[in-house]
Amino acid sequence: MNIEILGSGCKKCTNLAEEVSQVAQQMDIEFNLDKVTDMAKILEYGVMSTPAIVINGAVITAGSVPSTKEIESLLQAHC
């Protein structure tokens, strides 16, 4: 699973990347996680509000920080 966290590098974005990584590890999912801070790349996804989660090239969330349970559900749905 390829996961990207889109954002400016702010605290919310950094925390979200850490949380997604922890949840994926706990779920024993094989994944690659990249933090994308390049605004041109973020805009290519059509994301206007960060942070955002992209799984396997599809924008899953944007503009909010999902709870741990929501992250679990999102990852489960895309395994």
Side-chain angles (χ1 to χ4, degrees):
M1 176 181 295
N2 291 314
I3 304 170
E4 295 172 286
I5 304 299
L6 312 182
S8 63
C10 67
K11 189 70 173 162
K12 277 186 188 179
C13 302
T14 302
N15 288 346
L16 180 58
E18 290 173 9
E19 184 73 18
V20 169
S21 179
Q22 288 176 359
V23 171
Q25 287 174 3
Q26 289 171 357
M27 294 175 69
D28 201 27
I29 295 172
E30 286 189 37
F31 69 99
N32 295 315
L33 187 132
D34 292 317
K35 291 186 251 178
V36 178
T37 57
D38 179 6
M39 289 310 272
K41 176 87 170 162
I42 292 170
L43 290 174
E44 285 177 19
Y45 282 108
V47 171
M48 302 303 269
S49 183
T50 60
I53 301 172
V54 176
I55 298 177
N56 297 329
V59 177
I60 305 304
T61 66
S64 66
V65 177
S67 70
T68 301
K69 292 241 182 253
E70 290 170 323
I71 292 169
E72 286 176 16
S73 295
L74 294 169
L75 294 177
Q76 184 86 29
H78 293 88
C79 280

